[in-house]
Amino acid sequence: MRRLPIAALALLLAGLGRPAHAQGPADPARADSAARLPDVTVSVTRNALPERQVAGAVSTLDARAIRLAQPTLGLDEALANVPGVYVANRYNYSLDQRISIRGFGSRAAFGTRGLMILIDDIPQTTPDGQSQFTNLELANIGRVEILRGSASSLYGNAAGGVIALRSEPPAEASLGQGVVLEGGSFGLAKGQGWLSLRHGAGWTTVSASAFAWDGFREQSRAAAYQVNAATGWALGSAASLTVRLNAADAPRAGNPGALTFAEYEANPDSAAPANILRGSDKASRQAQLGVALRRGDARGGAFVASVFGYLRRVDNATATPSTIAPGPAIGTFVDFDRDVLGTRLSGTRPLGGARAPMLTLGLDAQAQWDDRTNYRSRGGVPTDTVLLDQAERVAQVGPFAQLRWSPAPRVTLAGGARFDAFRFGATDRYLADGEDNSGTRDMAAWSGNGGVAWDAAPAVAPYLSVASSFETPTLTELAIRPSGEGGLSPDLQPQRAVNWEVGARGRLGTALTWQAALFRVEIRDAIVQYREIGGRSFFTNAGRVRNDGAEVGATAAVSRRLRLLGAWTWAHYRFRDYAVVTGADTVRYDGNALPGIPANFLRLGLRAEPLAGVSADVDHTISSGQFTDDANTPAQRVGNWGAGVTTIRLGWRRGVAGTALGPYVGVVNLLNRRYVSSVVINGAGGRVLEPAPGRNFYAGVTLLAPAAP
């Protein structure tokens, strides 16, 4: 895929686009009031139903929470307000943010693991469980639904939960257009535009964005360009067809690597010396196409069929030392291509008259092809010396069934089962070592769920659920072996878990909404990162892990113009049976805390509209300490954030000559705290710290052109 021309993007930004921060309702106070209504409908459960009837922990975020006066650079901006979700911002666009739900995903060395990520119902999670956000432009997102807890019986290879993002729908008018321009500290520059058209029974939206950042650390510059387009048609009164196309080009994403404690104390803005010498950087290009057909009926039945695929190309200069003729500037260059093709089918219908059970049957099928070639590199430039050359593939098929029944008006029972079968394969094309490591591995798992939700009263709606889940190793985890040889690891096994949860949600008038949950997860053969060298992680299975936790979230409307919100997560995640064998030595980590996750994470927020058209938001985050290694070495523990980190945002909207003008400004880390925002688990040589920047600023403006009638 060719790089998106900057000139073309500039033209789109100049003439297209509804502004990212003006895409919400015209009246923020009215939008906030609507968000507090009890009957919020969610579809992340694969059939739409009121939130109070879901036997599990779900949260929704609207456009205001996602975009209003936000820089729209990462999911941590909004997801940090959801209890049970921990987002570690690496400030490293080569690796993405590390998202964890109830401990699942905390092991991700790059991208996201253990969670299902959907954008407009199209999986961004490949069959082997890897997720990335190359196609995500937060400025286009109008709604996020988060399902916390086991999702395997709904989505397959997703043990920890689901994050479903939905694009802002087309404007109600026949023509909508606008633009947003933003700049800030560390060379931040971003522009985004949006165009909406309605034509007969159809609609079309087109968005383009460009982003550049110098980074606050050495070796951390990044740039990215995106074009997102969608068109849809109403096929009668109950059916629709939608086509979506996404294209992204990230020509640069420097990787500064992790620091030691000594390096961090001396200069947190520095990069790991090996990453500089070996030119650690990544360029990626991706294109995705999805087609979806939906049909409903008057009895609540629905049918959904979609086909999707994407192509991804990555050139990644890493700091991983070469196994051949190593040297200070000698690293590993990864030439990586990935193709994915998939389909999703599901149908829901009632099994009788009123209050009859609703049955959902479906099938997910995907195929993934990876082409991986590793070269010896010098200063980030590949040489002719091949270290690894192999083709990898995985095929997955997953039929499922879900049953929902309300035997009484306020009681909802739900249950389901799913069977997933995977075939992993590798063809070793590097035979210079005299060995052919080609081979296949089959993995299969049943998963199920059951629960009950009781809408007892507006003030309290309790639920109870139990579910099983599983998570396979990814192709990358299977293919990267400490020996450097090709093929797939014969030892790494899928992890399995059983999840118990009891919770409740409710509201007191329009003044207070709340949710709370207690959970226990028993994990067998947990996939853990036991070693990291130069940016390359190696994985093994721990015998048993237990994750106990509590989540509490609340929003209080002090007045029509002032809201307070809070989200607290308590995480008691422990190895129960984990031994690391090195030669003749065996070290046990039973009882140790899982690294990379704080035991307590608290987010407090204030949302105010002191004057009409003016918004003022304050967020304050407090986190307890966390370990950086399985051994829980005291000297390798990252300390508390103390008083915490504060972010403030101010926005103002005003009509000028028929155009909606919306300037905004934000200050991140207002008190200039010095803290570590993410860690590398078990990093070699004590390289475990990924620092956050000090006080930094951003400012922008949105322009919304008058809508055509």
Side-chain angles (χ1 to χ4, degrees):
M1 184 174 63
R2 296 176 58 188
R3 180 170 299 173
L4 304 179
I6 298 178
L9 281 168
L11 289 174
L12 283 169
L13 290 170
L16 303 181
R18 181 172 51 179
H21 303 281
Q23 289 178 3
D27 185 350
R30 188 180 308 158
D32 292 348
S33 177
R36 294 193 297 269
L37 292 176
D39 294 329
V40 176
T41 299
V42 297
S43 58
V44 69
T45 54
R46 299 199 78 156
N47 53 63
L49 70 162
E51 179 182 348
R52 295 170 68 88
Q53 296 179 15
V54 178
V58 292
S59 298
T60 60
L61 300 172
D62 61 9
R64 188 194 197 285
I66 302 165
R67 299 194 312 262
L68 185 63
Q70 298 272 24
T72 63
L73 301 178
L75 281 170
D76 62 315
E77 298 166 14
L79 292 187
N81 294 315
V82 179
V85 179
Y86 178 69
V87 185
N89 192 339
R90 296 179 167 110
Y91 293 94
N92 183 337
Y93 287 92
S94 177
L95 301 179
D96 280 336
Q97 297 180 348
R98 181 163 53 88
I99 305 174
S100 171
I101 296 181
R102 297 182 176 179
F104 293 98
S106 62
R107 66 185 172 89
F110 61 90
T112 301
R113 306 287 189 273
L115 311 176
M116 173 61 66
I117 309 298
L118 304 168
I119 300 180
D120 296 318
D121 294 325
I122 299 176
Q124 307 303 299
T125 303
T126 55
D128 66 342
Q130 290 189 89
S131 302
Q132 47 75 39
F133 294 95
T134 302
N135 285 330
L136 176 62
E137 173 50 77
L138 272 174
N140 289 336
I141 300 300
R143 179 179 172 87
V144 181
E145 297 180 7
I146 304 100
L147 172 63
R148 309 191 300 278
S150 172
S152 288
S153 57
L154 292 172
Y155 292 95
N157 198 1
V162 186
I163 299 175
L165 304 107
R166 297 190 179 278
S167 297
E168 186 76 11
E172 294 296 331
S174 61
L175 174 64
Q177 54 185 327
V179 65
V180 58
L181 299 173
E182 183 176 282
S185 302
F186 314 118
L188 170 64
K190 184 178 180 181
Q192 190 262 346
W194 193 89
L195 171 70
S196 170
L197 297 171
R198 288 193 176 271
H199 37 84
W203 55 268
T204 299
T205 61
V206 180
S207 167
S209 65
F211 158 80
W213 190 58
D214 291 337
F216 78 98
R217 297 177 61 193
E218 298 177 86
Q219 197 68 29
S220 61
R221 294 181 63 187
Y225 312 97
Q226 285 192 17
V227 172
N228 301 300
T231 186
W233 299 269
L235 306 178
S237 60
S240 65
L241 179 68
T242 306
V243 179
R244 295 185 182 275
L245 174 66
N246 310 93
D249 181 15
R252 180 164 191 173
N255 182 358
L259 301 180
T260 66
F261 279 80
E263 291 170 338
Y264 173 73
E265 289 298 326
N267 185 5
D269 298 346
S270 64
N275 288 60
I276 298 175
L277 290 172
R278 296 166 185 167
S280 185
D281 199 356
K282 182 170 76 174
S284 62
R285 301 161 301 282
Q286 183 165 308
Q288 177 176 281
L289 177 66
V291 181
L293 174 67
R294 294 175 175 83
R295 183 176 180 83
D297 60 43
R299 300 176 61 198
F303 173 76
V304 180
S306 63
V307 179
F308 56 89
Y310 73 78
L311 311 176
R312 180 172 174 81
R313 307 293 180 253
V314 178
D315 296 326
N316 190 10
T318 75
T320 306
S322 170
T323 56
I324 298 177
I330 304 301
T332 301
F333 188 93
V334 180
D335 184 344
F336 178 77
D337 295 345
R338 169 169 289 166
D339 301 335
V340 174
L341 183 64
T343 184
R344 307 175 76 207
L345 306 170
S346 68
T348 301
R349 63 172 299 167
L351 300 179
R355 265 191 220 157
M358 298 288 289
L359 177 65
T360 300
L361 298 176
L363 175 72
D364 295 335
Q366 291 190 72
Q368 172 183 338
W369 298 270
D370 292 358
D371 193 333
R372 186 190 310 271
T373 306
N374 294 354
Y375 298 91
R376 181 176 180 269
S377 66
R378 182 184 297 275
V381 179
T383 67
D384 293 333
T385 303
V386 176
L387 306 176
L388 177 74
D389 186 1
Q390 68 182 29
E392 303 155 6
R393 61 195 180 277
V394 59
Q396 174 257 339
V397 60
F400 65 90
Q402 294 286 321
L403 189 66
R404 176 167 51 89
W405 180 40
S406 294
R410 294 182 177 274
V411 177
T412 302
L413 303 176
R418 178 178 174 123
F419 178 76
D420 283 274
F422 297 81
R423 167 154 289 190
F424 294 81
T427 301
D428 187 0
R429 299 183 300 221
Y430 178 68
L431 304 178
D433 58 0
E435 294 188 22
D436 185 350
N437 293 299
S438 303
T440 61
R441 289 194 60 188
D442 293 331
M443 302 180 191
W446 281 95
S447 55
N449 70 287
V452 56
W454 180 27
D455 192 358
V460 58
Y463 65 85
L464 176 69
S465 69
V466 60
S468 62
S469 64
F470 77 98
E471 183 179 343
T472 69
T474 67
L475 271 176
T476 301
E477 292 163 357
L478 287 169
I480 296 178
R481 305 166 68 180
S483 63
E485 60 186 328
L488 303 176
S489 169
D491 303 318
L492 196 57
Q493 302 297 324
Q495 71 176 26
R496 302 172 188 271
V498 179
N499 308 254
W500 291 271
E501 178 179 350
V502 58
R505 55 181 69 90
R507 71 178 184 93
L508 298 175
T510 59
L512 176 69
T513 60
W514 64 275
Q515 58 176 303
L518 297 172
F519 62 88
R520 166 167 288 182
V521 186
E522 296 280 2
I523 306 172
R524 177 165 51 90
D525 293 328
I527 302 174
V528 297
Q529 177 183 319
Y530 75 97
R531 187 181 181 190
E532 190 275 345
I533 301 176
R536 178 161 293 185
S537 301
F538 303 95
F539 296 85
T540 188
N541 293 106
R544 292 185 181 277
V545 173
R546 173 180 288 174
N547 292 353
D548 292 328
E551 304 162 353
V552 178
T555 300
V558 179
S559 69
R560 189 177 67 87
R561 295 185 178 275
L562 177 63
R563 287 190 305 136
L564 304 177
L565 58 89
W568 171 67
T569 303
W570 172 69
H572 188 265
Y573 307 155
R574 294 292 185 269
F575 294 114
R576 296 190 63 204
D577 178 14
Y578 181 23
V580 175
V581 180
T582 305
D585 298 327
T586 299
V587 179
R588 301 204 63 87
Y589 296 137
D590 302 354
N592 284 8
L594 267 66
I597 304 176
N600 287 277
F601 185 77
L602 176 65
R603 177 84 161 205
L604 302 173
L606 179 150
R607 306 287 181 263
E609 188 187 358
L611 301 171
V614 177
S615 64
D617 295 355
V618 180
D619 287 304
H620 188 73
T621 303
I622 303 174
S623 172
S624 62
Q626 57 184 291
F627 290 102
T628 64
D629 61 352
D630 294 341
N632 288 184
T633 306
Q636 293 288 300
R637 185 177 186 271
V638 177
N640 298 342
W641 289 5
V645 178
T646 303
T647 297
I648 63 172
R649 302 183 298 276
L650 299 174
W652 180 51
R653 292 182 303 165
R654 182 181 176 88
V656 178
T659 298
L661 176 69
Y664 60 92
V665 63
V667 183
V668 182
N669 194 1
L670 175 67
L671 303 178
N672 201 27
R673 303 288 185 188
R674 183 166 175 172
Y675 69 100
V676 172
S677 56
S678 179
V679 301
V680 173
I681 298 173
N682 297 320
R687 295 197 171 278
V688 294
L689 305 182
E690 295 177 300
R695 184 187 299 114
N696 60 97
F697 308 83
Y698 65 88
V701 61
T702 64
L703 296 172
L704 178 61

